[in-house]
Amino acid sequence: MARELDVIVIGWGKGGKTLAGTLARAGWRVAIVEQSEKMYGGTCINIACVPTKILIHDAEQHRGNGADADYFNTAVERRDELTAKMRQKNFSMLDDLDSVLVLTGRASFTGAHSIKVEGGDEVVELSATKIIINTGATPSIPPIKGAEVGGRIHDSTTLQHAELPKKLTVIGGGYVGLEFASMFAQFGSKVSVLDRGARPLKREDEDVAGEVVSALSDAGATIISSASVTALSQDSAGVTVSYELDGQERRLQADAALLALGRSPATQSLKLENTAVQLGDNGEIRVDKYLATHAEGIFALGDVIGGAQFTYTSLDDHRILKDQFLGEGKRNLEDRVGVPNTIFTTPPLARVGLSEEQARAQGLDIKVATKKVADIAAMPRPKIVGDPRGIIKFVADRKTDQILGAALMHVDSQEVINLVAVAMRAGISSSTLRDSIFTHPSSTEALNDVLGSFE
């Protein structure tokens, strides 16, 4: 007979674990299921945001010193130590609550309000009036001959524990691909990026994307645009990537290859056919603006619903469901305005809102302010830390002076972008932000200068 609960959370990602703890402290009977003990806490702290940024930080300290396998291995050890501590802390945060049942195993639906959890030789049956799907996403594997993770062919998870390659081929010029290209180039690998687009970061304005490419070139990475990968093969000596460029078949040989072509919602093992849950064209779980699926009592949040796959949007998903279950039920996805993001190249590129190209495509009457970081006299911090590269670009409404978007590529941009996002959400004009008082020396004070240069 199934054990009855108030809510079951499948997956230990940011939104799910936070919601589970919140509901448990409110007196609900909660079960949280994670398929692997190595993933307590979710993707972010175990294989994505936190561990990769540890490696990126250590790579930046090594920049220009050539390939050093021992240095790389030490960085990986530091990565593993920190993620292990965070994983244990995340586990304890829920396991220590009396009203939370923590289960490790693979969950699948057996009915509209019931699941089974298979872990080892044990099968546990659970039922609840509310079930939350929080299973995240996994690296996408393209339908390319030989594109299978194993040996010298990696995804973004396995490459973190590979031997430091002397030569690395990155397939995909998106956010993940460029982050890893920047990281490994600074660790001393000779990196080549095969990007099928006409230029990297096609959603960014050309001048902004150009700064990222320039920084990657400085680190020693080469980007090959308009390259269509046709096959991969490997042997004991290395991996060969075949691709078409300008109508000709070409090859790249390396010690390792990274498949960095996005992530796909993880729903395959859930047996959703036993429910009324519907999937979208990309395998994402379809939800309404309150995160409810087509099945009564079943909700989904985080990466599994598609769209922007960020830890902080998953956390905000938890706020929507918290309001549904414990509040007024008004908060929804349409409330989100000015959600920032960052690609952690060196220096990082952070952005929010519309680019200049996007704003003009919408027919908006805009004004634009752009400056190279090296030319901003009132921004000494990048020069102090030895990296004055980058660009700052703002787009604002010409009549209202409201900020429509910004792209910041410079030291500390991942922090400054949050201030810009808050200003957009609060309706603070670019002039007010320009005339604000900021500490010195800081990267934030660049806003005093750049926001005074609209054309």
Side-chain angles (χ1 to χ4, degrees):
M1 184 175 180
R3 180 169 177 175
E4 295 184 3
L5 301 137
D6 296 312
V7 63
I8 300 168
V9 179
I10 306 174
W12 207 307
K14 184 68 171 182
K17 69 183 180 186
T18 309
L19 182 65
T22 298
L23 296 178
R25 287 186 288 273
W28 288 38
R29 297 168 300 164
V30 178
I32 185 165
V33 183
E34 175 53 56
Q35 67 178 2
S36 170
E37 62 183 11
K38 295 181 180 180
M39 291 296 291
Y40 295 139
T43 295
C44 175
I45 70 166
N46 289 294
I47 59 174
C49 316
V50 173
T52 58
K53 303 317 171 280
I54 295 170
L55 294 176
I56 288 169
H57 173 271
D58 287 2
E60 290 172 342
Q61 309 311 304
H62 186 70
R63 184 169 66 234
N65 290 319
D68 185 336
D70 290 338
Y71 181 88
F72 176 71
N73 292 337
T74 299
V76 172
E77 289 174 4
R78 193 172 81 86
R79 168 212 183 276
D80 293 348
E81 289 174 2
L82 180 56
T83 55
K85 290 178 181 178
M86 295 184 70
R87 185 163 55 246
Q88 180 57 47
K89 179 63 175 178
N90 271 263
F91 178 79
S92 299
M93 288 169 63
L94 292 182
D95 192 54
D96 290 349
L97 296 174
D98 293 337
S99 56
V100 176
L101 172 65
V102 175
L103 294 174
T104 304
R106 190 175 296 276
S108 60
F109 282 88
T110 57
H113 297 282
S114 60
I115 69 168
K116 66 178 179 180
V117 180
E118 299 174 270
D121 297 329
E122 184 180 14
V123 177
V124 178
E125 296 182 351
L126 305 173
S127 65
T129 54
K130 292 180 173 58
I131 299 179
I132 316 298
I133 303 173
N134 182 48
T135 47
T138 57
S140 300
I141 305 301
I144 297 172
K145 182 181 179 181
E148 298 178 357
V149 175
R152 295 176 179 272
I153 301 175
H154 298 274
D155 60 23
S156 58
T157 300
T158 65
L159 188 59
Q160 295 177 49
H161 285 98
E163 293 183 5
L164 178 65
K166 292 180 180 180
K167 292 183 179 180
L168 172 67
T169 300
V170 177
I171 300 169
Y175 280 17
V176 173
L178 295 187
E179 275 195 10
F180 272 77
S182 177
M183 177 207 305
F184 276 90
Q186 292 176 103
F187 273 128
S189 301
K190 182 179 180 181
V191 179
S192 299
V193 180
L194 295 173
D195 182 22
R196 61 188 170 191
R199 66 172 176 87
L201 302 175
K202 62 182 179 180
R203 296 179 183 175
E204 303 295 336
D205 290 333
E206 192 167 353
D207 52 355
V208 174
E211 290 295 315
V212 178
V213 172
S214 177
L216 286 165
S217 179
D218 289 345
T222 300
I223 298 177
I224 303 172
S225 297
S226 302
S228 178
V229 176
T230 56
L232 291 87
S233 62
Q234 61 177 312
D235 55 29
S236 59
V239 57
T240 300
V241 180
S242 301
Y243 65 99
E244 290 183 358
L245 179 65
D246 297 330
Q248 295 183 347
E249 186 76 18
R250 309 183 184 214
R251 293 182 179 180
L252 267 178
Q253 293 184 323
D255 302 295
L258 168 65
L259 300 174
L261 295 169
R263 296 175 64 84
S264 302
T267 60
Q268 295 84 353
S269 63
L270 290 174
K271 295 188 178 179
L272 293 175
E273 60 272 17
N274 293 325
T275 73
V277 173
Q278 295 184 13
L279 300 181
D281 294 339
N282 297 314
E284 77 280 9
I285 293 180
R286 289 182 173 173
V287 295
D288 63 16
K289 63 182 181 179
Y290 300 104
L291 299 176
T293 71
H294 288 79
E296 183 179 357
I298 300 179
F299 302 80
L301 77 167
D303 295 355
V304 78
I305 66 173
Q309 296 181 349
F310 302 125
T311 293
Y312 44 91
T313 52
S314 177
L315 179 63
D316 196 57
D317 287 346
H318 127 270
R319 299 186 185 111
I320 293 173
L321 290 182
K322 175 185 175 182
D323 189 44
Q324 282 290 304
F325 301 158
L326 302 176
E328 298 180 349
K330 295 181 179 180
R331 188 164 186 148
N332 62 75
L333 293 172
E334 295 177 356
D335 296 332
R336 290 182 186 160
V337 176
V339 178
N341 64 75
T342 301
I343 171 176
F344 284 86
T345 50
T346 304
L349 168 64
R351 73 137 31 260
V352 64
L354 298 176
S355 67
E356 178 184 359
E357 292 178 3
Q358 290 169 335
R360 294 195 187 284
Q362 292 182 22
L364 301 177
D365 184 14
I366 62 172
K367 55 183 180 178
V368 179
T370 308
K371 276 198 173 185
K372 294 285 189 71
V373 170
D375 297 333
I376 304 174
M379 188 188 186
R381 174 162 166 75
K383 300 178 180 70
I384 290 170
V385 301
D387 193 353
R389 297 174 297 172
I391 189 171
I392 297 178
K393 186 171 188 177
F394 274 84
V395 178
D397 186 280
R398 188 174 296 279
K399 294 180 181 178
T400 67
D401 198 33
Q402 294 297 303
I403 300 169
L404 300 177
L408 317 178
M409 186 203 173
H410 57 75
V411 169
D412 302 326
S413 67
Q414 77 276 12
E415 304 290 349
V416 180
I417 199 68
N418 292 313
L419 174 63
V420 178
V422 169
M424 290 176 63
R425 289 193 288 271
I428 296 172
S429 68
S430 72
S431 300
T432 299
L433 195 59
R434 176 198 65 201
D435 296 335
S436 296
I437 301 171
F438 304 118
T439 58
H440 174 82
S442 70
S443 293
T444 311
E445 62 185 333
L447 303 182
N448 296 142
D449 186 312
V450 177
L451 292 174
S453 62
F454 278 108
E455 296 180 353

